[in-house]
Amino acid sequence: MPAVYSMLVSLLDVAGHASSSLRFIRDSPETVWALASLSLFIDTFVYMLTVSMLPEILQDSMGAPESANGVVTAMFGVGAVLGCFVSGILSDRIRERRGLQMISSLIYSVSGIVFYFARHYYQILLFRLIDGIASGVACTLLYASIGDVYPANLLAFKVAIVYFCNNIAYTIGPICGQRLFDMAGVKGPAALVIALGLLKLVALFVFSNDSLAIRSAVRSRAYVSAADDSTFSKSHESVASMSIPRLLMQPPVIISTLSIVTSIGIQCMLEGLVPLHLVDKLNHDQDNGITFVILGLVFTIMVPIVGKATDSLIEWRGETMRYYAMMFGAVATVCSVLLMALANSYAVMMVGYAFFAVADLCMFIPAQSAYGDFVNGANTDSMARGYSISVFAWALGAISLPPIGTALYSRFGFSRPSIAIAAIPCAICAIACLLFIIYDKRKHR
C-alpha cells in the first residue's frame, strides 16, 4: 500500500507540473507568435498546394476555358475580403480572437471536403470561395493577435518571422501539391487540406489562450522597454472603438495601406511580367522556375533582417523611423525596377530582381506592423479592424496592378510599363511618408 500511495503521489506531482507548464505556454506571448506563424504557414500552404494542379483539373478534367482560372482566383479574393472585414468587426465587437480563429480552422477543413468531392467547375469555385473566407479570417486575426501582445519596438520582427513562414509555404506548397496530385489525384491534396485545418484547430485549443487575455497580463507587467515612446498605453482598458472608415482617416493607417497596396501590387505585377520578358527579350526560355526560387530565397533570408532592423530603428529614434524605412523602400523599389528595365542580360536582371525583393520588404514589413502600433498607441479596441484593412490592402494590390501591367506589356513591352506602374504609386507613398514625418516633427516641437 505505501508503494501504491507513493506512485499515486508521484503521478499527481507530474500531472500538476505538466498542468503548470501548459498554463505557462498558453499564457505566453511567444505562443501567440508561434501559432500565428503556424497559421500563416497553413494558410499559404493550403492556397499554394492547389495552385499548380488547378489548370490541369479545370482544363483537362472539366473542359473549362483558360479564362476560368482567373475566375477561380477572383473567387478566392472575394472570400478573403468578406472574411477579413466580417472577422475584423466581429472580433473587436465581441472581444474574441481565439474562438474565431478556431472557426477559421474548421472552414479550411470544410473547403477541403468540398475539394475532395469536386467533380464540376462550380464546386471548384465554391472551394476557392470558402478557402478565401478562411484565409481572410485567419490572416486578420493572426496579425491582430500579435499586435495585441507586442509593442512597437518588438512588433516588426515578429511580423517578419510570420512572413518568413509564409515564404516557406509559398515555396514548398506547389511542389507538395503536385506530388500528391500525381499520387492520388484530387483526393490527396484535399485530404491534406482537411488535416491541416484540424491540426490548426487542435493547436489553438490545446496550446493557446485568447490573445486579449494575454494582453491584459502583458499590460500589467513591465513588458515594454522604457526607451520606447509609442508602446502599450499605461491604462489597462482600451478607451474607445474606431470604425473601419474612421481608421482609414488616420494618417498612419492611410500610409501603411498605401505602402502595402504598392509593395504587393508591384510584386505580383513583376511575377507576371518577368517570365514574359525573360523569354521575349532576353531569350531565357529554359528557366524551370529558377528565377522565382532565387527571388524566394532572397525574401526568406532578408525578411527577418529587415524586421529586426525596423525594430532597432524604432527603439533607437522612435516611431518616426518606420516612415523613413517605408520611404526608403519606395525609392529603392523604383531604382530596382529601373535596373531591371535597363538590364541586357539575365544576370543583371536577377541582380535587379534581388534588389527589388529587399526594397519591397522595406515597404511591407514596417507597414504591416504599423497597424498594431497605431491601435496600441491610440488605446482603442480596433486591432482586428485595423488588420482587416491590412488584409484588404494586400488583396487590392494583388488584383489591381497585375492586370494593368499585363495589358500594357502586350502593347509597350516591359520597360516603360514596369517603370511607370512602379514609379507612380511609389512616389505617392514616398511623398505621404515625407509629409507625415514633417507633420510629426512640427507636432512634437
Side-chain angles (χ1 to χ4, degrees), residues 115-126:
F115 191 44
Y116 189 92
F117 292 104
R119 298 294 181 270
H120 304 283
Y121 174 54
Y122 76 88
Q123 292 171 318
I124 298 295
L125 289 176
L126 181 61

Side-chain angles (χ1 to χ4, degrees), residues 195-320:
L196 288 173
L198 294 176
L199 171 65
K200 180 185 169 186
L201 175 67
V202 171
L204 287 167
F205 181 77
V206 175
F207 296 110
S208 176
N209 200 351
D210 194 280
S211 60
L212 289 171
I214 299 173
R215 176 187 179 90
S216 298
V218 168
R219 283 186 163 196
S220 66
R221 302 195 300 265
Y223 187 81
V224 180
S225 168
D228 184 29
D229 63 353
S230 180
T231 55
F232 292 132
S233 173
K234 296 292 189 294
S235 68
H236 289 261
E237 297 295 332
S238 297
V239 297
S241 179
M242 287 189 185
S243 65
I244 289 176
R246 188 179 172 194
L247 279 169
L248 281 169
M249 295 173 64
Q250 309 304 313
V253 175
I254 295 172
I255 295 170
S256 299
T257 302
L258 279 173
S259 185
I260 291 175
V261 171
T262 301
S263 64
I264 297 300
I266 296 174
Q267 178 186 337
C268 292
M269 178 194 70
L270 291 178
E271 286 174 356
L273 298 189
V274 167
L276 297 173
H277 182 60
L278 290 177
V279 174
D280 294 342
K281 295 299 181 182
L282 301 181
N283 298 317
H284 186 79
D285 54 357
Q286 300 296 324
D287 189 72
N288 295 322
I290 190 65
T291 296
F292 292 111
V293 171
I294 294 171
L295 183 69
L297 286 174
V298 176
F299 270 123
T300 302
I301 293 169
M302 291 304 301
V303 68
I305 297 174
V306 173
K308 188 64 177 177
T310 302
D311 282 340
S312 298
L313 287 172
I314 291 172
E315 190 167 10
W316 174 47
R317 296 298 297 270
E319 176 63 19
T320 307

